[in-house]
Amino acid sequence: MRICRRVFNRNRTGVRAAIAALLIAVPFLAVTSCKRRERPVYAVIPKGQAHVFWQSIHAGALAAAREGGVDIEWNGPAVETDFAKQISIVDDAINRHVDGIVLAPSDKEALVPVIRRAKQADIPLTVCDSGVNTEDYVSFVATDNYGGGVMGARRLAEILDKHGDVAIIGVLPGAASTTAREQGFKDTIAKEFPQIKIVAFQYGMSDRARSLAVTEDILSANPHLDGIFAPNESSSIGASQALKERGLVGKVKLVGFDSSPSLVDDLKAGVINSLILQDPYQIGYQGMKTLLDLRNGKTPPKRIDLPPTLVTQENMNDPKIQKLLNP
């Protein structure tokens, strides 16, 4: 009996200690939970997460959030072609009633209904990187994408001495940003360089391996191709890899878009003649800043255009260029 009583007393003491610890912990957890709820939360939703470009946008948005004393939730589909997943992520942010959303729409039409739902829920939303066919947003922050296409056409024409056959490795149907670059390139070639002919245009579906395969198909069908325009990171990587594998470095001139470690290496090596760079860090920073300004009673501009920058072997070591190459 004494042994049983000792065991019972020990158990009772342990239970009392556990209850006491729980009573101390619960108020602490409640306080920390309340603190989390009191701090504003903004959703930042990219088209995808695979490319360095999106990681740079994340860094810019995070910097602005830290300055503004708010938190961000970063979430996007694994691949840029998964429109349904991106819509689901935006819907989830609306249902949780976040304080605001920064969205890079994967498609200019498919994301319109969910953007309207955010407005109906009184959640301010800024569109970044790529346009959408609605005005139901606070601001639109992006590169001058059409101007980037114009810049690419003029650069390729310059290095081809204004004549020859060229191809475009397209990115993705319905993506407003890259469609504008492709159109700027086409329009400029047609208006300013009549001796240059666009002999091929195929989509790489925002995928490096697919862009490589597409470029190889174009090179096979056009053995005398003189130049290629690749209007984003994945198409540039795919095109450069195809030129290396086919032994066409220097023979087929490549003007690409965006930056990554491999693209910088290929620019140094002469595989890529030129890169047209955006400033994704500033896109993320300015996109987040528009919502913070709105929160503080300011009226942000409806549109913020950031100029593209042409990078070559000659200027790539300039300090300003280095910041764009290594965001």
Side-chain angles (χ1 to χ4, degrees), residues 72 164 179 232 240 277 303:
I72 67 168
T179 298
N232 87 324
S240 64
L277 297 191
R303 185 181 182 101

Side-chain angles (χ1 to χ4, degrees):
M1 282 296 290
R2 287 179 183 175
I3 293 171
C4 291
R5 282 176 183 170
R6 281 198 208 106
V7 171
F8 176 75
N9 288 336
R10 281 194 201 124
N11 288 343
R12 187 168 57 184
T13 302
V15 170
R16 285 174 178 168
I19 292 171
L22 186 60
L23 290 173
I24 293 170
V26 166
F28 175 76
L29 291 171
V31 169
T32 56
S33 177
C34 287
K35 284 183 179 177
R36 282 199 296 270
R37 290 196 187 102
E38 287 172 4
R39 192 172 166 94
V41 175
Y42 289 78
V44 183
I45 304 170
K47 292 181 184 179
Q49 300 194 53
H51 300 159
V52 174
F53 180 83
W54 300 118
Q55 297 164 25
S56 300
I57 283 184
H58 185 192
L62 186 60
R66 285 173 176 164
E67 289 178 10
V70 303
D71 292 328
I72 67 168
E73 294 178 351
W74 171 263
N75 192 15
V79 293
E80 296 181 23
T81 52
D82 195 349
F83 307 153
K85 179 63 176 176
Q86 190 181 45
I87 291 168
S88 174
I89 292 169
V90 179
D91 264 329
D92 179 63
I94 294 169
N95 292 338
R96 290 184 292 106
H97 216 277
V98 296
D99 293 275
I101 299 171
V102 178
L103 172 68
S106 296
D107 186 271
K108 59 186 177 183
E109 294 289 353
L111 274 294
V112 169
V114 77
I115 290 172
R116 286 179 180 156
R117 283 200 290 278
K119 184 174 183 179
Q120 290 165 358
D122 292 324
I123 298 174
L125 182 147
T126 279
V127 171
C128 77
D129 175 63
S130 195
V132 66
N133 289 343
T134 179
E135 294 289 318
D136 291 336
Y137 53 78
V138 174
S139 292
F140 173 46
V141 182
T143 304
D144 177 4
N145 288 299
Y146 186 90
V150 172
M151 183 180 285
R154 289 174 178 167
R155 176 60 180 175
L156 195 54
E158 177 187 350
I159 59 182
L160 293 180
D161 199 22
K162 300 182 181 180
H163 70 274
D165 291 345
V166 302
I168 303 172
I169 310 302
V171 180
L172 188 68
S177 58
T178 51
T179 298
R181 294 170 207 165
E182 293 152 7
Q183 196 61 49
F185 184 89
K186 292 177 188 176
D187 291 348
T188 305
I189 292 295
K191 292 175 185 176
E192 300 181 15
F193 307 105
Q195 293 184 354
I196 294 179
K197 184 180 179 184
I198 300 173
V199 296
F201 180 112
Q202 290 189 44
Y203 287 111
M205 302 308 291
S206 197
D207 179 80
R208 296 170 184 177
R210 182 74 177 270
S211 297
L212 167 61
V214 162
T215 306
E216 289 179 332
D217 289 345
I218 290 174
L219 291 170
S220 296
N222 300 274
H224 302 295
L225 194 71
D226 298 295
I228 294 173
F229 176 58
N232 87 324
E233 181 185 338
S234 58
S235 61
S236 297
I237 289 174
S240 64
Q241 187 63 34
L243 295 183
K244 286 185 282 189
E245 291 182 4
R246 295 280 181 125
L248 294 173
V249 173
K251 298 176 183 177
V252 178
K253 307 298 183 184
L254 173 59
V255 174
F257 222 101
D258 291 331
S259 174
S260 73
S262 67
L263 290 178
V264 173
D265 289 343
D266 284 344
L267 180 64
K268 290 178 182 176
V271 181
I272 298 172
N273 177 276
S274 312
L275 286 171
I276 298 165
L277 297 191
Q278 307 181 75
D279 193 341
Y281 182 93
Q282 277 299 315
I283 292 175
Y285 181 88
Q286 295 295 340
M288 190 67 219
K289 191 77 163 50
T290 60
L291 297 182
L292 294 175
D293 285 347
L294 185 69
R295 183 180 184 85
N296 292 326
K298 301 177 183 177
T299 302
K302 190 69 175 178
R303 185 181 182 101
I304 299 174
D305 281 320
L306 302 173
T309 301
L310 180 69
V311 180
T312 66
Q313 285 184 331
E314 289 71 31
N315 71 357
M316 67 181 300
N317 291 320
D318 293 352
K320 289 182 180 179
I321 300 297
Q322 280 295 308
K323 285 184 179 180
L324 295 176
L325 289 172
N326 302 287

